[in-house]
């Protein structure tokens, strides 16, 4: 595991997202930085394609196409950065991801969310990582397979997270 101890106060949006892009380029496919869309918070997103069967080491996984999207908002009203780290499977309308923002204060500073398409079907409190954003990316990337496998399904639709699983 790599630990990043750089000064977080001097982070710059474009440079941070370029460094995330460089980190993911070795592990995922077609990694690119893009400007965030108007409905998205923060200035950039790093997007990468992934073959779930390879990434999750499961030859029986039901789809072969997914993507990872990561974005940070650096200057917030809180003493830490906001981020969004999502696994998206378009074929099954699945989104599972960590969101560190100010949208679910009752769950703490970070939550794990499951969406069926554009509809959130579950939110659970997740571990707060008070660390440099590149360290957050590393830790979330390492725990991504467990989070994807924790999604519960009914009639081919995501309905939540296994309650015995802890993010």
């Amino acid at each position: 595991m790599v630990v990043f101890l750089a000064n977080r106060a001097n982070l710059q949006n474009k440079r941070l997202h370029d460094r995330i892009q460089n980190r993911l380029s070795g592990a995922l496919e077609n990694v690119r930085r893009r400007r965030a869309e108007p409905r998205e918070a923060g200035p950039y997103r790093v997007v990468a394609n992934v073959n779930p069967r390879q990434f999750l080491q499961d030859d029986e996984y039901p789809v072969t196409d997914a993507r990872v999207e990561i974005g940070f908002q650096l200057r917030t009203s809180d003493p830490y950065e906001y981020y969004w780290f999502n696994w998206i499977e378009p074929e099954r309308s699945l989104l599972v991801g960590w969101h560190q923002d100010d949208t679910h204060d009752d769950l703490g500073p970070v939550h794990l969310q499951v969406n069926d398409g554009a509809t959130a079907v579950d939110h659970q409190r997740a571990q707060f990582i008070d660390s440099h954003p590149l360290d957050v990316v590393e830790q979330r990337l390492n725990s991504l397979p467990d989070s994807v496998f924790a999604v519960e399904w009914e009639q081919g639709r995501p309905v939540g997270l296994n309650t015995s699983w802890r993010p």
Side-chain angles (χ1 to χ4, degrees):
M1 176 169 78
V2 178
V3 176
F4 299 93
L5 300 174
N7 183 352
R8 290 162 61 181
N10 293 328
L11 288 173
Q12 296 175 350
N13 279 308
K14 187 172 186 268
R15 184 161 189 232
L16 170 63
H17 288 84
D18 285 345
R19 290 179 69 189
I20 294 169
Q21 178 182 0
N22 289 341
R23 165 56 186 95
L24 296 181
S25 291
L28 305 176
E29 303 167 14
N30 192 23
V31 181
R32 60 223 178 263
R33 179 184 42 83
R34 67 167 173 79
R35 282 214 168 271
E37 297 176 18
R39 63 178 169 74
E40 297 174 319
Y44 298 102
R45 290 291 186 273
V46 176
V47 181
N49 296 356
V50 60
N51 180 330
R53 291 181 180 174
Q54 291 175 346
F55 183 81
L56 301 171
Q57 299 178 345
D58 181 354
D59 292 337
E60 303 298 316
Y61 198 78
V63 298
T64 57
D65 184 43
R67 71 180 183 271
V68 171
E69 292 189 6
I70 303 169
F72 280 83
Q73 182 176 343
L74 297 180
R75 284 149 197 56
T76 70
S77 59
D78 289 307
Y80 50 84
E81 304 81 18
Y82 293 165
Y83 68 85
W84 302 267
F85 191 114
N86 295 317
W87 171 274
I88 300 166
E89 295 178 15
E91 186 178 329
R92 299 198 299 171
S93 297
L94 170 68
L95 176 146
V96 59
W98 292 273
H99 300 163
Q100 183 164 300
D101 54 30
D102 58 1
T103 59
H104 296 281
D105 292 334
D106 57 320
L107 296 174
V110 63
H111 63 276
L112 185 63
Q113 178 171 323
V114 177
N115 281 23
D116 179 3
T119 304
V121 296
D122 197 5
H123 297 94
Q124 291 191 14
R125 179 182 300 267
Q127 176 191 9
F128 175 70
I129 303 170
D130 188 14
S131 186
H132 189 282
L134 292 174
D135 186 46
V136 170
V137 168
E138 197 69 32
Q139 290 187 53
R140 294 300 184 208
L141 193 61
N142 289 335
S143 58
L144 186 56
D146 289 339
S147 302
V148 171
F149 287 125
V151 174
E152 293 184 322
W153 296 84
E154 287 181 12
Q155 299 177 342
R157 309 301 303 179
V159 295
L161 290 164
N162 180 323
T163 56
S164 65
W165 179 82
R166 285 282 127 225

